[in-house]
């Protein structure tokens, strides 16, 4: 099935128009996509000045509660990260101390920006801008565990990782939504840092002007997570339609590698939690691309997307019980927002995840905005996918996964055969889960401590 919906250049299969890794896209390709894009950058959702749109969300209890959370957060000091805290990983191997503080700092962006959009009174602008200035003053946005030779910290190289791409996407979304509600120097600061730390390095990798980061051709969650952050950032801050078009094309092209990490029948060897994270970011990438191009670049139509889209439903052993194979918590469940979107987009018949499940403030600013406003799931469903019909057994042949459901009995099981040469595998061959009466009584211990 073709990636693109259109005539001429866009109708060609991806393999015929995509360059080899590190080779630039043809100017004609970029120009044709650029012609579909608005002159000015814009991301999903409605600007904060659209009070009717945001007031409608603010009337929902879950969004109203976030305003109260932001009010409490605004009175608290910004958690401090230091060079010593960053460098602790290189001395002791501990990654959690820095990540805990950094997560608190970055979480302020989503909470304060979203609350300001919901309320529209300006009282969260000051705390938000203070947080933005502090984060932009950090020597690098790359996580210490991903900067093993300290080149990013020392400023000799700028890589893109899970942390930096996600942070840029949140900042870019705030930049887009709040517009001139942010002070000019803060807007310039956000724009400049995203340019220096995300857009310019990514374009240099795509054009073969520097060595590409490994994740661009990786087949694990990094590929889709980083690409979604880069594309989301570009759509919201890049003034050039040609540059946005080039990054959109690169996102569509390189996302093919991440899809290769699934088996043909859709099994995710990284586990349910990383399916939420990695495949969830692919769906966000696909939705942003669909919205930006009016559906002319439609990653949802790929044949190799539909089997992974059904993974979340097919992995259920019994009601609310899923195996903790690979790298996830024993309590891991498919993300309700993702399941709601997939159920509607592919008409899977997932009655436990109605469309309104998508709407809510969870998952960070960018995700909340992307899914709380109109999406292609309702306006442009993929007709040929069909309903998920769960029987007494599910068999993922290549991975050697068997799920046997209870039916009229009380006993259900899931077992892992296959092999251990997989992403996030923890010597999982022989793992099993036994469920009796809807409760797991024998189970895989799940993820280890990093």
């Amino acid at each position: 099935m073709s990636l693109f919906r259109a005539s001429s250049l866009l109708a060609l299969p991806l393999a015929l128009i995509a360059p080899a890794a590190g080779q630039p896209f043809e100017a004609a390709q970029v120009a044709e996509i650029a012609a579909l894009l608005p002159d000015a950058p814009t991301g999903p959702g409605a600007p904060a000045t659209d009070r009717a749109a945001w007031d409608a969300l603010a009337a929902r209890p879950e969004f109203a509660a976030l305003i109260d959370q932001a009010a409490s957060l605004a009175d608290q000091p910004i958690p401090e990260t230091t060079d010593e805290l960053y460098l602790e990983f290189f001395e002791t191997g501990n990654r959690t101390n820095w990540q805990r503080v950094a997560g608190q700092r970055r979480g302020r962006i989503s909470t304060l920006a979203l609350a300001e959009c919901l309320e529209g009174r300006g009282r969260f602008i000051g705390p938000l801008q203070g947080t933005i200035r502090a984060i932009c003053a950090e020597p690098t946005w790359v996580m210490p565990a991903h900067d093993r030779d300290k080149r990013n910290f020392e400023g000799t190289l700028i890589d893109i990782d899970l942390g930096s791409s996600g942070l840029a996407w949140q900042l870019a979304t705030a930049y887009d939504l709040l517009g001139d509600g942010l002070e000019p120097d803060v807007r310039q600061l956000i724009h400049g840092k995203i340019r220096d730390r995300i857009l310019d390095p990514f374009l240099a990798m795509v054009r073969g002007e520097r060595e590409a980061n490994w994740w661009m051709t990786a087949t694990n969650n990094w590929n889709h997570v980083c690409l979604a952050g880069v594309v989301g950032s570009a759509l919201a801050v890049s003034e050039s339609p040609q540059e946005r078009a080039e990054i959109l094309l690169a996102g569509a092209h390189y996302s093919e590698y991440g899809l290769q990490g699934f088996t043909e029948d859709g099994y995710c060897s990284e586990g349910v939690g990383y399916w939420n994270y990695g495949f969830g970011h692919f769906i966000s990438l696909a939705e942003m691309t669909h919205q930006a191009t009016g559906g002319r670049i439609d990653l949802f139509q790929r044949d190799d997307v539909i089997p992974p889209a059904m993974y979340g439903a097919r992995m259920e052993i019994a009601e609310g019980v899923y195996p903790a194979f690979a790298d996830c918590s024993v309590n891991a469940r498919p993300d309700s927002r993702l399941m709601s979107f997939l159920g509607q987009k592919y008409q899977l018949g997932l009655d436990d995840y109605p469309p309104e499940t998508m709407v809510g403030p969870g998952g960070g600013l960018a995700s909340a905005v992307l899914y709380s406003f109109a999406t292609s799931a309702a306006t442009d469903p993929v007709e040929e996918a069909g309903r998920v019909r769960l029987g007494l057994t599910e068999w993922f042949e290549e991975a050697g996964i068997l799920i046997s459901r209870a039916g009229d009995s009380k006993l259900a099981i899931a077992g892992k055969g296959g092999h251990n040469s997989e992403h996030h595998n923890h010597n999982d061959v022989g793992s099993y889960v036994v469920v009796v009466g809807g409760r797991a009584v024998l189970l895989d211990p799940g993820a280890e401590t990093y």
Side-chain angles (χ1 to χ4, degrees), residues 191-377:
H191 189 279
K193 291 297 182 182
I194 291 176
R195 165 65 54 195
D196 292 343
R197 296 183 176 186
I198 302 295
L199 302 186
D200 285 348
F202 183 74
L203 287 168
M205 295 175 200
V206 169
R207 296 168 181 170
E209 297 168 356
R210 60 163 282 184
E211 183 180 358
N213 286 157
W214 66 272
W215 55 261
M216 290 183 67
T217 55
T219 59
N220 63 14
N221 70 88
W222 275 67
N223 177 269
H224 291 151
V225 173
C226 293
L227 287 173
V230 171
V231 169
S233 299
L235 291 174
V237 306
S238 175
E239 296 93 345
S240 166
Q242 289 74 27
E243 184 174 86
R244 277 178 269 135
E246 186 176 1
I247 291 174
L248 277 170
L249 281 168
H253 169 55
Y254 285 100
S255 69
E256 182 176 3
Y257 290 96
L259 292 173
Q260 292 173 13
F262 297 90
T263 60
E264 289 188 7
D265 52 12
Y267 182 72
C268 176
S269 71
E270 296 182 277
V272 173
Y274 274 103
W275 178 79
N276 289 336
Y277 185 48
F279 189 68
H281 274 80
F282 171 81
I283 293 299
S284 294
L285 170 66
E287 179 62 18
M288 288 187 291
T289 302
H290 189 285
Q291 290 187 23
T293 64
R296 297 282 293 280
I297 301 181
D298 193 347
L299 299 174
F300 295 114
Q301 295 286 336
R302 292 183 58 109
D303 291 331
D304 54 359
V305 172
I306 295 173
M310 296 183 177
Y311 167 91
R314 293 183 64 197
M315 287 300 290
E316 187 175 40
I317 309 170
E319 185 174 351
V321 180
Y322 296 80
F325 300 154
D327 202 352
C328 63
S329 162
V330 294
N331 298 314
R333 304 288 182 272
D335 179 77
S336 58
R337 172 179 284 160
L338 176 59
M339 293 289 280
S340 176
F341 181 91
L342 294 173
Q344 190 174 11
K345 183 71 179 182
Y346 291 105
Q347 302 185 67
L348 302 180
L350 304 180
D351 296 335
D352 291 339
Y353 302 97
E356 56 267 26
T357 308
M358 283 189 286
V359 181
L365 176 64
S367 182
V369 171
L370 180 61
Y371 293 104
S372 293
F373 291 90
T375 71
S376 71

Side-chain angles (χ1 to χ4, degrees), residues 374-397:
T375 71
S376 71
T379 60
D380 192 18
V382 180
E383 299 290 345
E384 63 267 34
R387 296 175 64 88
V388 173
R389 293 178 173 84
L390 299 182
L392 290 179
T393 62
E394 296 289 335
W395 171 241
F396 294 88
E397 182 172 3

Side-chain angles (χ1 to χ4, degrees), residues 134-208:
I135 287 175
C136 288
E138 294 175 4
T140 178
W141 290 344
V142 173
M143 299 165 67
H146 303 156
D147 188 23
R148 292 183 179 271
D149 55 8
K150 293 187 280 191
R151 287 190 295 175
N152 288 275
F153 178 78
E154 294 170 351
T156 61
L157 183 69
I158 299 177
D159 291 313
I160 300 171
D161 79 331
L162 302 173
S164 65
S165 58
L167 172 58
W169 190 15
Q170 305 306 316
L171 287 169
T173 304
Y175 175 98
D176 176 54
L177 295 174
L178 294 169
D180 292 338
L182 296 172
E183 294 177 7
D185 73 296
V186 173
R187 288 183 58 79
Q188 183 177 4
L189 188 60
I190 293 172
H191 189 279
K193 291 297 182 182
I194 291 176
R195 165 65 54 195
D196 292 343
R197 296 183 176 186
I198 302 295
L199 302 186
D200 285 348
F202 183 74
L203 287 168
M205 295 175 200
V206 169
R207 296 168 181 170

Side-chain angles (χ1 to χ4, degrees), residues 47-135:
T49 52
D50 185 345
R51 293 316 313 160
W54 284 99
D55 287 346
L57 290 181
R60 300 173 65 104
E62 62 269 34
F63 283 102
L66 183 129
I67 296 176
D68 292 337
Q69 295 171 22
S72 175
L73 194 65
D75 293 331
Q76 300 174 18
I78 302 169
E80 288 288 338
T81 56
T82 63
D83 290 353
E84 291 75 19
L85 194 61
Y86 189 96
L87 293 171
E88 181 184 8
F89 171 78
F90 301 94
E91 298 169 357
T92 69
N94 183 293
R95 59 188 288 168
T96 58
N97 291 335
W98 179 89
Q99 287 178 190
R100 182 177 61 253
V101 177
Q104 293 169 352
R105 284 163 69 91
R106 283 143 178 76
R108 289 174 63 93
I109 296 171
S110 291
T111 302
L112 294 170
L114 191 53
E116 181 57 39
C117 290
L118 290 164
E119 188 178 75
R121 289 167 40 194
R123 67 168 170 153
F124 299 117
I125 291 292
L128 173 62
Q129 293 187 146
T131 302
I132 292 171
R133 291 188 178 103
I135 287 175

